[in-house]
Amino acid sequence: MSSVARKIGEGTIYSFSQNFLVIILGAVSTVLVIRELGTYQYGLVVLAMSIVSAMNVFLDFGIGGVVVADIAASRGNGNTAKAKKLLREYLIFEIITGLILFAAAFILSFFANAKYGVEISGLVKIASFLALINAAKNVFMIAAQSFIKFNLLAMLFISESGARLIFVFLFVVSAGGGMVAVMMSYLASSLFAIILVLPFIIKSVRQTKATG
C-alpha cells in the first residue's frame, strides 16, 4: 500500500509541476508571438493549430484510456507480454491514423494555396506534420501512464514548452520570422521533446519486461 501511495504522491507532484511550468512557459511564448506577429497573424496561427487540434480527435478515437486500463490490468495479472503487445498494437494504430491525417492535411494545403496563398498553405503543411508528431506523443503518453512513469510524462511536456519558448525567441523574435517561423518553432519543439524522451521510454519499457 505504501508503494501505491508513494506512486500516487509522485504522480501528483509531477502533474502539478508539469502543469505549472507548461502554463508559465506557454504564456511567455504566446506573449512573444503576439508582440511580433500582431493579433491578425497570430489569429491565423491559432486557426492552423485548430486544425491540429481537430486532427488529434481522430488520432486515437478516444481509445487511449481503454489501452491504459487494459495494459494496467495485464500488468496486474503478471502478463507483461500482453501489456507490451497492447502497447505495440497501439503504436501501429497511431502510425496508421497519423499517416492518414498527415496525407489529408497535406493535400488540403494545396487547396489552401490556390485559395489563400502560399503562406497559409505553408501553415497547413506544417500542421500536417504535427499530426505525425502528435501520434508519437500519444504513444509516449500511453506508455508513461501505463507503466507509471509520471516523471517521463512531465519531462515530455516541460521540455516541449521550454524548447518552444527558445525556438520562438530564436526564430521569431531574434530572426524576425513570421507565421511560418512560429509554426516551425512549434514543430521543432515537439520533435525535440520526443527525441529527448524516447530513450528513457524505451529503457523503462524494457526494464518492465525484464522484471515483469
Side-chain angles (χ1 to χ4, degrees):
M1 180 67 73
S2 59
S3 177
V4 174
R6 192 187 75 234
K7 287 290 185 181
I8 294 175
E10 289 177 354
T12 302
I13 293 173
Y14 282 124
S15 178
F16 175 80
S17 302
Q18 166 197 317
N19 292 335
F20 178 77
L21 290 174
V22 166
I23 289 173
I24 296 299
L25 293 171
V28 175
S29 298
T30 300
V31 169
L32 291 176
V33 169
I34 294 176
R35 190 185 70 177
E36 295 299 318
L37 296 186
T39 54
Y40 174 73
Q41 288 192 335
Y42 176 70
L44 293 178
V45 171
V46 171
L47 180 61
M49 291 303 295
S50 70
I51 297 176
V52 179
S53 299
M55 289 190 293
N56 286 345
V57 176
F58 300 99
L59 272 176
D60 72 352
F61 296 95
I63 67 172
V66 178
V67 173
V68 171
D70 287 347
I71 291 177
S74 298
R75 293 189 63 211
N77 294 328
N79 194 345
T80 307
K82 182 180 179 182
K84 297 297 293 179
K85 182 174 181 291
L86 288 168
L87 183 61
R88 185 165 56 249
E89 289 174 349
Y90 182 75
L91 170 62
I92 295 171
F93 176 78
E94 285 295 284
I95 290 174
I96 294 173
T97 55
L99 287 172
I100 292 173
L101 291 171
F102 163 76
F106 199 82
I107 292 172
L108 178 64
S109 70
F110 292 101
F111 292 97
N113 184 38
K115 190 171 181 62
Y116 300 107
V118 176
E119 198 165 29
I120 301 300
S121 174
L123 299 183
V124 179
K125 280 188 173 70
I126 298 172
S128 69
F129 283 98
L130 280 168
L132 291 175
I133 296 295
N134 287 339
K137 283 170 62 179
N138 280 353
V139 176
F140 283 17
M141 290 167 59
I142 295 301
Q145 293 170 7
S146 301
F147 294 94
I148 321 179
K149 298 296 180 181
F150 300 111
N151 58 328
L152 297 183
L153 195 60
M155 181 189 297
L156 176 67
F157 288 107
I158 293 172
S159 62
E160 180 182 31
S161 297
R164 178 175 298 180
L165 176 58
I166 293 172
F167 289 140
V168 164
F169 183 80
L170 292 176
F171 300 151
V172 181
V173 177
S174 298
M179 294 184 294
V180 173
V182 173
M183 289 292 290
M184 286 300 298
S185 298
Y186 293 172
L187 177 63
S189 60
S190 296
L191 185 59
F192 169 81
I194 288 175
I195 293 174
L196 177 66
V197 177
L198 178 59
F200 299 100
I201 290 287
I202 294 175
K203 180 181 178 181
S204 297
V205 172
R206 286 179 175 174
Q207 286 179 341
T208 302
K209 181 178 180 180
T211 59

